[in-house]
């Protein structure tokens, strides 16, 4: 494991999120996409990784409903999303009831900025072809 300085890859990624932009990385050597950002390509070991803007499209790989008291915001889902570019990430689907999320549903990413900090979340896009 290597540590990342505040001025490194993770910081740049978060700074983009805070501006409402969702970035992933692509390796210039093997062309695989990478998320969460890192300094070295996990596929081939190259350090020639660069930020790219993904399509934002993906599909649900797995979903769990997390129970929470209404006073604390109510139930929400924790979903694993496979981006069309390949990487899998953990996020939340915001526009339907937590227990209505289905595996293989098409979802689209957006960035929610709260108190200056951006987080990637997803919405279900019914009727979109896959
Ligand atoms: Zn690579």
């Amino acid at each position: 494991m290597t540590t990342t300085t505040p001025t490194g890859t993770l910081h740049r990624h978060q700074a983009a999120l805070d501006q409402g932009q969702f970035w992933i990385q692509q390796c210039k050597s093997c062309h695989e996409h990478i998320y969460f950002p890192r300094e070295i390509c996990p596929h081939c070991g190259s350090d020639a990784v660069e930020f790219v803007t993904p399509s934002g499209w993906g599909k649900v790989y797995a979903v769990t409903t997390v129970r929470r008291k209404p006073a604390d915001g109510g139930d929400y889902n924790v979903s694993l999303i496979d981006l069309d570019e390949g990487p899998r990430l953990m996020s939340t689907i915001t526009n339907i009831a937590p227990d209505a999320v289905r595996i293989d549903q098409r979802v689209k990413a957006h960035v929610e900025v709260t108190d200056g900090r951006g987080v990637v979340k997803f919405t279900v896009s019914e009727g979109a072809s896959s």
Side-chain angles (χ1 to χ4, degrees):
M1 293 292 287
T2 57
T3 54
T4 303
T5 66
T7 54
T9 298
L10 290 175
H11 180 78
R12 290 176 58 211
H13 166 255
Q14 186 62 51
L17 278 180
D18 295 346
Q19 299 295 319
Q21 295 188 44
F22 177 29
W23 285 353
I24 65 173
Q25 287 174 306
Q26 185 173 26
C27 174
K28 293 170 79 172
S29 179
C30 72
H31 304 294
E32 292 280 354
H33 286 89
I34 303 159
Y35 198 82
F36 209 74
R38 58 200 73 192
E39 309 285 345
I40 302 290
C41 174
H43 304 284
C44 73
S46 169
D47 63 359
V49 293
E50 63 179 5
F51 281 112
V52 295
T53 303
S55 68
W57 287 103
K59 70 177 183 180
V60 178
Y61 173 77
V63 60
T64 304
T65 299
V66 179
R67 302 292 175 191
R68 194 169 54 175
K69 294 175 187 168
D72 295 330
D75 295 350
Y76 64 102
N77 67 86
V78 174
S79 300
L80 289 175
I81 311 294
D82 282 342
L83 296 177
D84 282 5
E85 287 80 7
R88 179 172 297 163
L89 68 142
M90 186 177 292
S91 185
T92 302
I93 294 163
T94 60
N95 67 332
I96 59 174
D99 57 6
V101 179
R102 297 284 176 262
I103 288 170
D104 284 340
Q105 265 177 331
R106 291 289 286 166
V107 292
K108 182 102 163 78
H110 65 281
V111 178
E112 268 185 31
V113 181
T114 305
D115 296 331
R117 186 162 180 90
V119 176
V120 178
K121 296 189 177 181
F122 287 80
T123 51
V124 168
S125 182
E126 291 297 350
S129 60
S130 57

